[in-house]
């Protein structure tokens, strides 16, 4: 069973005209991130609609995808995407699950209501959030309420994490490890997923004091080919255990921009299969760990 726990999907009108769609909603950051690269290079963002996603999953043998919301800058766009994802899950509950996104600007009651609505409509987690990019603090009371609900409902929570020493790019934000560790410690009953191999936070877990508040944290592999050499997977497995790594791609991002004109799942899966993980570790990363995380074991 192959489960990709980090996939993004957008409504047709966003795909058709991303800049205009974003401008009408006050989503300048997203527009910049999916637009052409500074210096004129083609965007790393690939696009896929609902049918394209299912086609690409079939072609690569991906059984299920977890649709992650984007870290929008307004509560209204969050609600719009949550509704779109509810429709996607209704169309294919056998292949898709979806997480709700949120913005603290909705306030404690607004966030609570939006998450309840999302749950009623079939969504089953929170993320991908990135408070520093969205303009609120990791200590915002609305986020705390969201995490309390996530703990009560046994919803996983995916947070975008950047690497402190990573390259600079437009609109990059810092996601300080100390704040993430404090957040995980304040919410020990939440199953967190720190995206993008946690910006290599797993290696800091070689320090027992760092590892201690992070036992409820897993790390997804999203966008890794754009960031790290393939040896990163067995090394992270050695640092924190393969049971804490979950496969996610960041589809429809073009993870191999020189080799991929269009997004697809197969190339990254083949990188994972050849990266040096033992067969049992690989099976856990590709789906077993997600099933456990989701199932509450
Ligand atoms: Zn991310």
């Amino acid at each position: 069973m192959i489960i990709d726990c980090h996939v993004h999907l957008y409504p047709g009108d966003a795909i058709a005209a991303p800049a205009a769609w974003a401008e009408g909603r006050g989503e300048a950051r997203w527009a910049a991130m999916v637009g052409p690269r500074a210096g004129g290079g083609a965007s790393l963002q690939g696009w896929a609609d609902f049918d394209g996603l299912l086609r690409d999953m079939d072609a690569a043998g991906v059984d299920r995808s977890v649709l992650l919301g984007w870290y929008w800058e307004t509560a209204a766009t969050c609600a719009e995407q949550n509704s779109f994802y509810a429709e996607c899950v209704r169309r294919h509950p056998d292949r898709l699950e979806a997480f709700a996104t949120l913005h603290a600007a909705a306030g404690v009651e607004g966030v609570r209501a939006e998450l309840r609505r999302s749950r009623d409509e079939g969504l089953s987690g929170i993320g991908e959030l990135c408070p520093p990019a969205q303009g609120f603090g990791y200590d915002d009371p609305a986020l705390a309420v969201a995490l309390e609900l996530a703990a009560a409902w046994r919803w996983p929570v995916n947070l975008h994490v950047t690497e402190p020493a990573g390259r600079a790019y437009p609109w990059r934000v810092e996601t300080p490890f100390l704040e993430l560790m404090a957040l995980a410690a304040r919410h020990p009953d939440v199953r967190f997923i720190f995206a993008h191999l946690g910006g290599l936070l797993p290696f800091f877990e070689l320090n027992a004091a760092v590892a201690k508040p992070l036992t409820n944290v897993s790390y997804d592999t999203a966008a890794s080919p754009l960031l790290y050499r393939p040896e990163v997977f067995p090394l992270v497995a050695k640092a924190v255990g393969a049971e804490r790594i979950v496969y996610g791609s960041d589809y429809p991002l073009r993870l191999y921009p020189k080799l991929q004109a269009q997004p697809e799942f197969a190339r990254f899966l083949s990188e994972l299969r050849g990266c040096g993980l033992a067969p049992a570790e690989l099976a856990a990363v590709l789906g077993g760990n997600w099933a456990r995380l989701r199932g509450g074991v």
Side-chain angles (χ1 to χ4, degrees):
M1 173 78 97
I2 298 181
I3 305 170
D4 187 328
C5 76
H6 194 131
V7 166
H8 295 283
L9 201 62
Y10 301 102
D13 46 348
I15 296 173
W21 187 90
E23 179 157 10
R25 289 164 176 77
E27 297 291 350
R29 180 182 294 275
W30 178 80
M33 291 190 71
V34 302
R37 276 187 279 182
S43 172
L44 293 175
Q45 189 66 50
W47 299 99
D49 61 12
F50 185 85
D51 295 330
L53 166 66
L54 288 167
R55 249 194 328 270
D56 286 347
M57 286 169 64
D58 288 341
V62 175
D63 298 286
R64 289 179 69 81
S65 284
V66 181
L67 304 176
L68 295 188
W70 184 257
Y71 33 97
W72 302 110
E73 294 174 78
T74 74
T77 319
C78 292
E80 185 179 351
Q81 182 165 47
N82 294 342
S83 296
F84 169 65
Y85 273 181
E87 185 55 37
C88 293
V89 172
R90 267 195 291 275
R91 283 176 68 187
H92 250 301
D94 53 328
R95 305 295 301 279
L96 301 173
E97 48 199 280
F99 282 18
T101 184
L102 62 91
H103 198 293
V108 165
E109 285 315 314
V111 163
R112 207 194 304 269
E114 178 60 19
L115 289 179
R116 288 210 172 109
R117 181 184 77 89
S118 298
R119 186 176 185 235
D120 288 345
E121 298 211 16
L123 274 60
S124 53
I126 294 175
E128 175 180 15
L129 300 184
C130 182
Q134 296 177 273
F136 56 91
Y138 288 104
D139 55 356
D140 195 291
L143 179 60
V145 160
L147 295 175
E148 283 159 23
L149 289 176
W153 298 342
R154 306 184 78 80
W155 273 17
V157 176
N158 188 300
L159 297 178
H160 176 87
V161 180
T162 55
E163 185 191 356
R167 71 189 168 89
Y169 53 85
W171 298 81
R172 178 192 157 93
V173 292
E174 303 304 324
T175 58
F177 285 173
L178 290 174
E179 290 190 48
L180 290 163
M181 288 162 58
L183 187 70
R186 283 199 298 278
H187 298 275
D189 296 330
V190 172
R191 291 132 192 263
F192 288 99
I193 298 142
F194 287 1
H196 316 298
L197 289 173
L200 300 186
L201 178 59
F203 295 128
F204 290 77
E205 288 205 40
L206 295 170
N207 178 335
V210 175
K212 202 169 170 205
L214 295 173
T215 51
N216 54 331
V217 174
S218 298
Y219 297 99
D220 84 27
T221 62
S224 187
L226 289 169
L227 303 167
Y228 311 122
R229 305 201 310 259
E231 303 93 286
V232 75
F233 304 112
L235 288 170
V236 169
K238 199 161 188 187
V240 298
E243 69 279 5
R244 288 177 58 202
I245 308 173
V246 283
Y247 159 61
S249 62
D250 226 344
Y251 175 99
L253 212 57
R254 294 187 303 126
L255 302 180
Y256 305 88
K258 295 199 175 97
L259 303 168
Q260 281 177 323
Q262 297 298 329
E264 46 87 15
F265 293 92
R267 190 177 290 271
F268 183 31
L269 281 169
S270 117
E271 176 180 319
L272 284 166
R273 288 185 178 113
C275 75
L277 287 171
E281 291 177 323
L282 184 66
V285 168
L286 291 182
N289 291 339
W290 184 261
R292 210 186 56 242
L293 219 127
R294 167 58 83 205
V297 183

